[in-house]
Amino acid sequence: MAHIALFHSVLGLRPAERLAAERLRAAGHQVITPDLFGGATATTLDEGFQLLDRVGWATAVHRARQALRDMPEETVLAGVSMGTGVVTELWPERTAAAAALLLHATAELPASVPPGTRVQLHAAEPDDFVPPENVAALHRAAREQGVELEIFRYPGVGHFYIDQAGEDHDPEAAELTWRRVLDFLDHGPTSRGTAP
């Protein structure tokens, strides 16, 4: 069983994250889904970025930090799109995290992350929010720091392909993602993903 903090996308805390958390809980994990926007949500990316501007990045990160206050040090840091940016912000403070789960975007590895830390990335291919240079930088940093990284790309799907209510939803890719995520959380990496 893992403790997991799942940080939402720029659209706010919506059914996509709640359903993901329910699926992880059904597998026996303990999951929190901090609301970084104070209940506000958006339906488009443009609205989402306007919402983020109103809330402020510092406020969103502060709310995430507060939500982690009573969580175990080994809590898995997980992010959906913008949420991976939150992971990037908090990871240097929580280097005992058992793992990091990155959905739809990359994160930066802190220099202090211990060797052997496990990281899994799932993203569409191509995806403007996951440019090849970011993926290559993550792969390079993981190799240099001894981080166990799996990279899974899903050709031809949209950015938010796990969101059942969204136009990008791809049931096959979403199901494969969650099977891989649950295996990652339960057993550790068993097969290497595609790396640049």
Side-chain angles (χ1 to χ4, degrees):
M1 188 226 17
H3 290 83
I4 304 164
L6 178 63
F7 302 112
H8 62 71
S9 78
V10 77
L11 300 180
L13 181 58
R14 300 173 309 122
E17 289 86 8
R18 297 185 195 279
L19 289 171
E22 288 176 11
R23 182 161 188 161
L24 296 173
R25 290 185 188 114
H29 303 292
Q30 293 192 14
V31 188
I32 63 169
T33 53
D35 186 345
L36 310 182
F37 290 172
T41 60
T43 57
T44 68
L45 287 177
D46 285 345
E47 290 176 2
F49 285 115
Q50 291 171 13
L51 177 55
L52 177 59
D53 286 342
R54 289 199 301 273
V55 172
W57 181 247
T59 297
V61 171
H62 173 73
R63 289 172 174 168
R65 184 177 289 114
Q66 291 298 107
L68 282 171
R69 195 172 41 184
D70 297 323
M71 296 291 286
E73 287 299 311
E74 67 273 15
T75 295
V76 174
L77 302 177
V80 177
S81 196
M82 180 204 79
T84 67
V86 177
V87 171
T88 293
E89 291 278 357
L90 299 181
W91 208 351
E93 306 166 16
R94 299 190 62 95
T95 54
L101 175 61
L102 312 174
L103 299 166
H104 309 305
T106 59
E108 294 180 19
L109 294 184
S112 53
V113 70
T117 298
R118 298 166 48 239
V119 180
Q120 195 175 69
L121 167 67
H122 298 268
E125 185 175 37
D127 187 336
D128 290 342
F129 291 100
V130 192
E133 58 269 24
N134 288 13
V135 177
L138 177 63
H139 185 257
R140 185 168 53 251
R143 186 175 60 245
E144 292 171 354
Q145 296 174 225
V147 166
E148 297 181 25
L149 172 65
E150 289 183 301
I151 299 173
F152 294 104
R153 303 302 300 267
Y154 300 83
V157 303
H159 176 67
F160 280 128
Y161 69 86
I162 65 167
D163 183 357
Q164 294 181 22
E167 62 182 19
D168 288 344
H169 184 231
D170 186 291
E172 184 176 346
E175 183 61 28
L176 179 56
T177 295
W178 291 120
R179 287 204 307 268
R180 287 167 166 170
V181 166
L182 291 174
D183 184 63
F184 174 72
L185 293 170
D186 290 341
H187 308 295
T190 57
S191 63
R192 307 312 292 178
T194 304

